[in-house]
């Protein structure tokens, strides 16, 4: 170990350490379900450091996992017995192009920092996740979904260029036109094909005023239909929706909780002024149970949310998101809401629903159902660790049900796929994923332990096997003689 540390210190400008405190800090992520401890942590200062560490890892047979905020939920940024690259020193916004409508920044920059820098120019990234303290590298590696993704696609869909270090130690600039194969697989690729060091991303001009309508539904059909109408007709700019259990009864006859579910739909319109917004036009033909509230905010107040992601240190977070075909959304959501009360306190469990259109996303690694209108459903428990196993078992069962109905998992959450489930998740594209992995990370050193690839023998292994077979054949012929 001391030799490895001294070797890497000689080839990088950044910090190299294996102190128990630092290793402990990177041994779990926000999910707190999985623990993995690397041999050491490298905090690179620049892209050249990343290149040197990758090349060293190749020589020594070590694995590498990039990490910044550690906001994954299923161990996606963890590493066992290898190297964690702490990317938090990659924290500079290099350029904001007001005329060309893009910015360029390091992978460890947070979306909050981008927003604060772009707002004074009248600009904003088209899609923002609800948690804006996530980093650029993290959400581009995952996809990045938010309450305007139905209009603008994922954050990855708005990426214009990436600086990437591949699993062979090559530093590459890639765009949709230049090194496009790498570009389209590093995006939403969870660090499997390359390590993002810098991002160029689209900006748009925003309008200064917003109006948000809070609409309550007691009917799932009406709720789903109105979401589709509002988004397909382009009446709104942002949508957030939350199923919420209002009343819980316990029946001795059925021996399970009986829930009355309501559905909150929060929709927002951007405008040059609130006076120009026509409420009747926005809400025309909708079938909500009650219009609870209307809120007017300046854009800067609206776009920086009050949401803080935090939880007691003794809890775990087995969160999942599914992307469901619109035609199956009612059946699937009803099933979920019937089953959840048996394992979770639904009054204290956040459930979110969003929507997306297949035609707004063209990222091959971001898998979506084979329908244009897609309904997202997220289940976000914060529970004591003692409750974890039955909750995971139920979430895995609901995942399997979703996959059978044509849904896909958004892979940021808790994921425990076997090889067959990976094949279902990627469908006919699975063989291409394996080919791209072998091309850009032939020794499998990047972010191991998350994807389960098809087992293909390394050329060196094939040579050894053939040599052993030949030797065995010679030995056998001698014994016969």
């Amino acid at each position: 170990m001391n030799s490895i540390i001294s070797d890497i210190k000689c080839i990088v400008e950044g910090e190299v350490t294996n102190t128990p405190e630092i290793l402990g800090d990177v041994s779990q992520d926000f999910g707190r379900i999985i623990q993995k401890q690397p041999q050491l942590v490298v905090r690179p200062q620049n892209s050249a450091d990343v290149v040197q560490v990758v090349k060293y890892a190749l020589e020594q047979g070590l694995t590498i996992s990039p990490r910044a905020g550690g906001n994954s939920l299923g161990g996606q940024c963890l590493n066992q017995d290898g190297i964690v690259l702490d990317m938090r020193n990659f924290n500079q916004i290099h350029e904001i192009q007001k005329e060309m409508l893009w910015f360029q920044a390091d992978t460890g920059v947070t979306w909050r920092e981008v927003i604060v820098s772009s707002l004074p120019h009248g600009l904003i990234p088209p899609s923002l996740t609800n948690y804006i303290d996530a980093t650029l590298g993290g959400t581009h590696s995952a996809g990045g979904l938010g309450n305007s993704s139905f209009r603008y696609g994922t954050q990855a869909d708005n990426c214009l260029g990436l600086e990437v270090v591949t699993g062979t130690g090559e530093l590459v600039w890639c765009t949709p036109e230049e090194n496009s194969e790498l570009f389209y697989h590093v995006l939403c690729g969870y660090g499997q094909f390359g390590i993002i060091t810098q991002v160029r991303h689209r900006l748009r001009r925003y309008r200064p005023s917003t109006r948000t309508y809070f609409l309550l539904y007691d009917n799932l059909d009406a709720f789903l239909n109105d979401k589709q109408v509002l988004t397909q007709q382009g009446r709104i700019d942002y949508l957030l929706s939350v199923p919420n259990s209002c009343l819980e009864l316990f029946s001795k006859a059925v021996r399970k909780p009986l829930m009355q579910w309501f559905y909150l739909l929060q929709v927002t319109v951007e405008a040059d002024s609130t006076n120009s917004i026509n409420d009747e036009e926005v809400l025309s033909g909708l079938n909500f149970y009650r219009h609870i509230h209307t809120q007017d905010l300046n854009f800067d107040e609206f776009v920086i949310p009050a949401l803080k992601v935090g939880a007691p240190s003794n809890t775990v977070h087995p969160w999942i998101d599914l992307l469901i075909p619109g035609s199956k959304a009612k059946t699937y959501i009803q099933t979920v809401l019937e089953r959840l009360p048996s394992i979770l306190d639904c009054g204290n469990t956040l459930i979110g629903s969003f929507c997306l259109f297949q035609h707004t996303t063209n990222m091959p690694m971001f898998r979506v159902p084979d329908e244009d209108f897609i309904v997202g459903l997220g289940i976000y428990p914060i529970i004591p660790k003692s409750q974890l196993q039955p909750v995971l078992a139920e979430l895995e069962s609901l995942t399997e049900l979703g996959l059978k109905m044509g849904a896909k998992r958004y892979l940021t959450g808790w994921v425990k796929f076997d090889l067959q489930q990976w094949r279902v998740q990627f469908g006919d594209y699975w063989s291409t994923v394996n080919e791209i992995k072998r091309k850009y990370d032939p020794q499998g050193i990047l972010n191991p332990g998350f994807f389960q690839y098809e087992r293909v023998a390394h050329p060196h292994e094939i040579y050894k096997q053939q040599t052993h077979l030949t030797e065995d054949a010679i030995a056998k012929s001698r014994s016969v003689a």
Side-chain angles (χ1 to χ4, degrees):
M1 174 53 64
N2 289 334
S3 173
I4 294 173
I5 291 175
S6 61
D7 286 350
I8 296 179
K9 281 184 176 180
C10 290
I11 60 175
V12 303
E13 295 180 27
E15 179 185 354
V16 185
T17 182
N18 68 338
T19 65
E21 295 79 12
I22 298 296
L23 294 181
D25 287 343
V26 300
S27 67
Q28 64 179 13
D29 57 9
F30 181 74
R32 298 179 186 162
I33 299 170
I34 294 178
Q35 286 199 332
K36 296 182 180 181
Q37 184 162 302
Q39 290 192 50
L40 70 156
V41 176
V42 179
R43 183 174 285 186
Q45 284 294 113
N46 48 50
S47 300
D49 278 0
V50 178
V51 169
Q52 291 300 321
V53 175
V54 170
K55 289 181 175 179
Y56 182 83
L58 282 167
E59 294 171 359
Q60 300 298 318
L62 295 169
T63 60
I64 298 179
S65 298
R67 174 193 177 107
N71 293 307
S72 63
L73 292 139
Q76 292 89 332
C77 67
L78 304 183
N79 184 290
Q80 184 64 45
D81 297 327
I83 301 170
V84 163
L85 283 179
D86 183 341
M87 305 297 286
R88 286 178 292 180
N89 280 346
F90 284 65
N91 56 12
Q92 298 298 309
I93 297 175
H94 297 286
E95 187 175 4
I96 294 179
Q97 267 286 348
K98 293 181 285 186
E99 291 76 25
M100 301 293 289
L101 296 179
W102 53 259
F103 72 89
Q104 190 157 319
D106 291 339
T107 187
V109 169
T110 68
W111 288 100
R112 182 185 297 274
E113 292 167 332
V114 171
I115 294 169
V116 169
S117 297
S118 64
L119 278 176
H121 302 291
L123 302 172
I124 197 75
S127 284
L128 290 169
T129 56
N130 291 324
Y131 180 59
I132 60 173
D133 290 310
T135 62
L136 303 184
T139 63
H140 280 86
S141 293
L145 284 169
N147 56 8
S148 61
S149 289
F150 67 87
R151 181 183 286 272
Y152 299 109
T154 68
Q155 290 181 323
D157 288 299
N158 290 280
C159 181
L160 301 174
L162 295 169
E163 184 183 79
V164 174
V165 178
T166 69
T168 58
E170 184 181 3
L171 182 63
V172 182
W173 178 254
C174 51
T175 71
E177 298 77 33
E178 180 183 359
N179 298 306
S180 60
E181 184 180 68
L182 185 61
F183 176 82
Y184 281 111
H185 291 86
V186 170
L187 289 169
C188 311
Y190 291 87
Q192 295 295 308
F193 315 104
I195 298 167
I196 299 172
T197 54
Q198 203 168 120
V199 170
R200 181 177 293 177
H201 192 93
R202 187 176 286 116
L203 293 168
R204 70 170 179 87
R205 295 183 175 89
Y206 64 83
R207 288 179 284 183
S209 300
T210 68
R211 174 166 292 169
T212 300
Y213 305 89
F214 296 82
L215 311 174
L216 186 66
Y217 291 75
D218 61 353
N219 181 283
L220 182 56
D221 273 318
F223 170 71
L224 293 171
N225 182 71
D226 285 1
K227 286 173 66 170
Q228 187 167 3
V229 167
L230 286 165
T231 52
Q232 279 186 331
Q233 295 182 2
R235 297 192 202 178
I236 59 172
D237 297 293
Y238 304 88
L239 179 147
L240 179 67
S241 52
V242 180
N244 187 37
S245 58
C246 185
L247 183 64
E248 183 174 349
L249 302 173
F250 290 90
S251 168
K252 291 182 179 179
V254 295
R255 295 185 178 276
K256 66 178 183 179
L258 302 175
M259 288 286 189
Q260 171 64 54
W261 288 93
F262 288 89
Y263 311 92
L264 178 64
L265 192 58
Q266 182 177 320
V267 296
T268 302
V269 176
E270 267 184 50
D272 294 324
S273 74
T274 52
N275 293 332
S276 64
I277 300 173
N278 186 325
D279 293 343
E280 291 185 5
E281 192 174 282
V282 175
L283 302 179
S284 173
L286 301 184
N287 294 292
F288 46 84
Y289 165 65
R290 185 179 174 189
H291 178 180
I292 299 174
H293 181 59
T294 299
Q295 182 181 59
D296 292 341
L297 291 173
N298 293 331
F299 183 82
D300 58 347
E301 297 175 293
F302 165 77
V303 80
I304 300 181
L307 176 66
K308 300 289 184 183
V309 176
S313 60
N314 60 344
T315 57
V316 292
H317 316 130
W319 296 3
I320 66 170
D321 288 277
L322 288 101
L323 304 170
I324 310 158
S327 63
K328 304 290 180 62
K330 179 186 176 184
T331 301
Y332 184 77
I333 292 174
Q334 279 182 328
T335 302
V336 169
L337 298 185
E338 286 172 2
R339 288 169 56 169
L340 279 187
S342 64
I343 60 160
L344 286 171
D345 176 4
C346 292
N348 291 310
T349 298
L350 179 62
I351 303 171
S353 179
F354 50 93
C355 58
L356 188 69
F357 291 97
Q358 187 185 68
H359 69 263
T360 64
T361 181
N362 65 343
M363 293 292 117
M365 292 296 295
F366 183 79
R367 307 309 292 174
V368 295
D370 193 21
E371 288 185 16
D372 192 44
F373 183 63
I374 299 161
V375 175
L377 184 71
I379 306 168
Y380 313 121
I382 298 177
I383 57 174
K385 196 164 187 176
S386 59
Q387 298 178 17
L388 179 61
Q389 292 311 313
V391 171
L392 286 182
E394 182 63 23
L395 295 181
E396 289 169 15
S397 175
L398 291 173
T399 290
E400 184 62 24
L401 174 64
L403 293 175
K404 288 178 180 176
M405 296 174 70
K408 301 295 182 182
R409 278 290 305 274
Y410 182 35
L411 298 175
T412 54
W414 163 255
V415 178
K416 189 181 179 182
F417 279 178
D418 58 26
L419 187 55
Q420 180 57 32
Q421 288 172 313
W422 283 113
R423 291 169 178 160
V424 172
Q425 172 77 8
F426 281 93
D428 294 340
Y429 203 72
W430 181 235
S431 60
T432 303
V433 174
N434 282 268
E435 289 170 12
I436 299 296
K437 179 68 171 179
R438 292 192 289 270
K439 180 175 182 179
Y440 292 103
D441 182 22
Q443 292 192 28
I445 69 168
L446 296 180
N447 230 23
F450 180 42
F451 280 55
Q452 285 191 30
Y453 293 99
E454 304 289 344
R455 181 73 175 98
V456 176
H458 190 274
H460 183 59
E461 293 178 2
I462 295 173
Y463 172 78
K464 286 197 300 182
Q465 291 168 5
Q466 291 172 341
T467 302
H468 289 159
L469 286 172
T470 303
E471 291 172 348
D472 289 345
I474 292 171
K476 186 176 290 186
S477 66
R478 285 175 176 168
S479 65
V480 170

